[in-house]
Amino acid sequence: MKLIFLLIAIIGLGSRGGATELSGVVKSEDGKPLSGVQILTYAPAGPADILGMHVTTSTKRYEGSTKPDGSFSIPSHGQLVYFHRADLRPLTKIVDLAIKRIEVKMEEGTRSLWKVPACSATNKSSRVGVGFMVTVPENVMVKKDDGRFEDGGYLFGYRSGKQVEVLINWWGSTSLEPEDNYLLESRDFSQRMWVSDEKWGYEFRGTMSDGKVWRRIAIRNGAITYQGNTKEAAKVFDSMINEMCFDESAVKW
């Protein structure tokens, strides 16, 4: 997971040909300018040598924040532009690479904020997971997997017909956002913040063009997610996720 995150986040060393500056303004639901909104995007950056490997395309990370009048400007951008401020509902905009200006409205955050309870000693003795701890129903299989993930993880399987659909919980360096293709290839998606005591992260969920669904709850230390599942399996996994607790002792940095 750490290698994937580094490849995504690394500053591209190649040409910035085709880079398009993006400017705009961020406002509240009632039209007031919002200052201090953090903006993040990964812009195409051409070929590069990354960790000894030559890749034909790479990305460069750009960050910025809005001024007191709500305005912002970043030197270049990708198709996905992320907007965040702790008291607002996070927002992801899909934009054309050629676009130069956008106006964004963000919602007040408390209406959508998900408060995940902290795990008690009793929770830890009866639940399974790293960081995100769930109760496992009888119709779900579980396998501990310390080899596949940086700091351990679990695979939860639900049998649907002849196939087993999977919910994954892993611990290790990761991004708050899902892989680009899940957002770009979804016919719809939503996001919100979750919080447990002093810790917080993002929840994303969406529906792909083929009708399958995905959901991802993440902190920079790890995540719990299902990807491209049937609605039958998603219903089972959602019942586990919706009642989960968060084990803050798993956070080491």
Side-chain angles (χ1 to χ4, degrees):
M1 292 299 171
K2 180 175 285 187
L3 176 60
I4 293 173
F5 179 66
L6 285 171
L7 289 174
I8 292 173
I10 194 153
I11 295 179
L13 301 178
S15 168
R16 276 188 54 205
T20 303
E21 181 179 356
L22 181 67
S23 62
V25 62
V26 181
K27 298 180 178 180
S28 65
E29 295 171 277
D30 57 2
K32 295 179 181 178
L34 293 171
S35 64
V37 175
Q38 297 174 334
I39 301 156
L40 170 66
T41 187
Y42 297 93
D49 291 317
I50 301 175
L51 302 180
M53 298 181 291
H54 183 76
V55 294
T56 56
T57 59
S58 62
T59 59
K60 183 170 182 177
R61 180 186 177 109
Y62 289 97
E63 294 180 271
S65 61
T66 56
K67 300 176 181 178
D69 63 356
S71 65
F72 70 90
S73 179
I74 47 179
S76 187
H77 67 89
Q79 286 183 275
L80 297 170
V81 184
Y82 304 97
F83 298 85
H84 168 82
R85 200 176 80 176
D87 60 329
L88 303 172
R89 183 172 188 169
L91 178 68
T92 301
K93 297 289 287 184
I94 298 177
V95 300
D96 189 278
L97 288 175
I99 198 170
K100 296 182 178 181
R101 183 171 178 80
I102 58 173
E103 183 171 311
V104 175
K105 284 191 176 183
M106 296 186 71
E107 299 177 13
E108 188 272 332
T110 56
R111 296 197 303 270
S112 59
L113 183 65
W114 179 19
K115 296 181 179 181
V116 178
C119 293
S120 65
T122 301
N123 291 149
K124 293 180 184 181
S125 66
S126 61
R127 299 187 183 209
V128 176
V130 188
F132 303 100
M133 302 196 73
V134 298
T135 300
V136 183
E138 291 184 359
N139 59 345
V140 171
M141 301 168 280
V142 60
K143 178 183 178 181
K144 194 174 190 294
D145 193 333
D146 291 328
R148 189 188 312 252
F149 307 112
E150 186 178 343
D151 293 312
Y154 288 86
L155 303 175
F156 304 92
Y158 172 77
R159 186 172 296 281
S160 177
K162 295 183 179 181
Q163 68 179 28
V164 175
E165 302 194 45
V166 178
L167 170 70
I168 308 170
N169 165 224
W170 79 83
W171 211 242
S173 302
T174 190
S175 65
L176 291 175
E177 301 83 16
E179 294 179 25
D180 289 2
N181 64 297
Y182 284 99
L183 299 174
L184 295 173
E185 297 173 14
S186 289
R187 64 190 188 200
D188 59 71
F189 66 87
S190 63
Q191 65 189 103
R192 61 177 175 171
M193 281 185 64
W194 65 267
V195 64
S196 182
D197 289 339
E198 298 297 317
K199 304 301 180 183
W200 63 271
Y202 289 163
E203 177 197 29
F204 283 82
R205 63 193 307 171
T207 304
M208 306 296 284
S209 58
D210 61 2
K212 292 187 177 180
V213 292
W214 59 273
R215 186 179 183 185
R216 186 177 192 272
I217 298 92
I219 189 172
R220 293 202 183 279
N221 304 84
I224 186 166
T225 180
Y226 57 81
Q227 302 167 328
N229 289 50
T230 63
K231 291 183 178 180
E232 177 187 346
K235 184 177 180 181
V236 174
F237 295 148
D238 283 344
S239 67
M240 298 166 62
I241 292 171
N242 293 343
E243 299 300 323
M244 72 182 181
C245 63
F246 184 72
D247 177 16
E248 189 171 331
S249 68
V251 178
K252 305 302 182 185
W253 47 268

